[in-house]
Amino acid sequence: MARTINLSLFLLFIFWIPNLATSFPLSTKSRWIVDDKGQRVKLACVNWPAHLQPAVAEGLSKQPLDSISKKIVSMGFNCVRLTWPLDLMTNDTLALKLTVKQSFESLNLFDDVLGIQTHNPKILNLPIFNAFQEVVSNLGQNGLMVILDNHLTYPGWCCSDNDLDAFFGYPNFDPAVWAKGLSKMATLFRNVTNVVGMSLRNEPRGKRDYPDLWFRFMPKGAEAVHAANPEVLVILSGVDFDTNLSFLRDRFFNVSFTDKLVFEQHWYSFSHEGGAWVKHNSNDICAKIMGEVTHNGGFLLDRGFPLILSEFGTDERGVDVSGNRYMNCLVAWAAEKDLDWAVWALTGDYYLRTGTKHMVETYGVLDATWKDVRNATYLQKLSGIQHPFRGPGLQEKKLVLHPHTGLCITNNHSGNVPTLRLELCTKSDSSTFNPKEGILWVNKMCVETPDVAGQKVRLGVGSKCSKLGQISATKMHLSFKTSNGLLLCLDVDERDNSVVANPCKCLTKDASCDPASQWFKVL
């Protein structure tokens, strides 16, 4: 694994400021989300669950609310996808009569009561909904935008095919009650400017996830939200756990508004063929699944609709080979499409998940203390897609991303001879690559490849420019041949993040091979 940028400097540098100047409300302009001045706003969000028992945002027994909000900002996120159960809007006993303390005590979570008393005494005796409002308010005070995501009907863990609220018409999913609850939530946050969007329902699924029912009810939910709060983005999910919006390819629907409509899609390592990432060569399976994800949802971008990759992530302990390979592929795809997104999840641990107290969330960007970053390398990988590359009102900057590290290639000015190295994408030189001519330019200097494996890749000018080819199914290997016909690829020296030339790897069907260090995504 390539060297991680010093964490303290990394967090300092990516501290997100631009959204503080964002001019609300947000709307859409073709495939882009823009502010009221027409300039692109890229949503780089983290999911913060508040839909489990006891229906309170996770982590508030571990750290002060304001500290968590500031930590979110320091990690480079500019928004939060805050989940909520529909019961919060349809059950006044839960929302307005049950206090935070009573909710925790009813679940025998007495340690958490003491924790909240210590870290967030202000919310302890508030009704559940008022505590939810406090979270939204504090996020706004810290310059964070919020997407309110209706995650399920009753507080608890989600999701499986057998859930009683899996799809429209299931025992616990009454479409009329759902639309009414959405309308009420939209109304209550109508004048809260940092609430920029509402996601209508998380991961519709099950044996009845027929497009006909989706077309019948999803537009009604969209209209209910827009009528109650015409300022917010209205975000619609697909079927099959929100992995599939392909039914919109040949059939669309009409709503009374056009400039607030956004779609969302989920993608995890387990979203496709079981074990695919370890059964197949990484180049082949990445290219195949990229095509499937594009077919199932990414096509909407070309049709002029914004698409948020609203859930993705993996085990941050580094032990999941499938997850590690998938994340490198996903980061490359998200960068290529310059997507808005929301990673799962912020959570260090849960108060109570499926009967277990303080279950650790290995996908969480915070550890169980809710204070420290769980995996700095993972966070650095995400930094490569946190900033926009193009869009309305922005000057487009061409880059070459190394998905495995989240860094971009740049000119290493420290030596006597200019060479290539990796750097934070926000600090990297502009890089352009024309596949037809095969020349990689970095800040007006071209790549000069070495004739021996293991050597650093130089930059120069004039007639010594090397011709590179994009090989493998992913087209992410940048290759060349030496004078004696040896095929080499650009690679990364993990000791100092310098770009070197090494024999190309993983070009066969060998499923055990991992090409991540040699993947470079031309943007």
Side-chain angles (χ1 to χ4, degrees), residues 303-314:
R303 298 195 180 183
F305 293 98
L307 177 70
I308 300 176
L309 189 62
S310 59
E311 278 193 31
F312 66 95
T314 194

Side-chain angles (χ1 to χ4, degrees), residues 117-130:
Q117 177 66 55
T118 300
H119 298 294
N120 293 286
K122 180 180 179 181
I123 72 164
L124 187 61
N125 292 304
L126 289 180
I128 295 294
F129 178 68
N130 294 132

Side-chain angles (χ1 to χ4, degrees), residues 36 71-73 170 281 286 409 432 464 480:
D36 73 350
K71 190 67 176 181
I72 294 170
V73 175
Y170 272 49
N281 172 277
C286 176
I409 64 171
T432 58
K464 294 186 177 181
F480 63 95

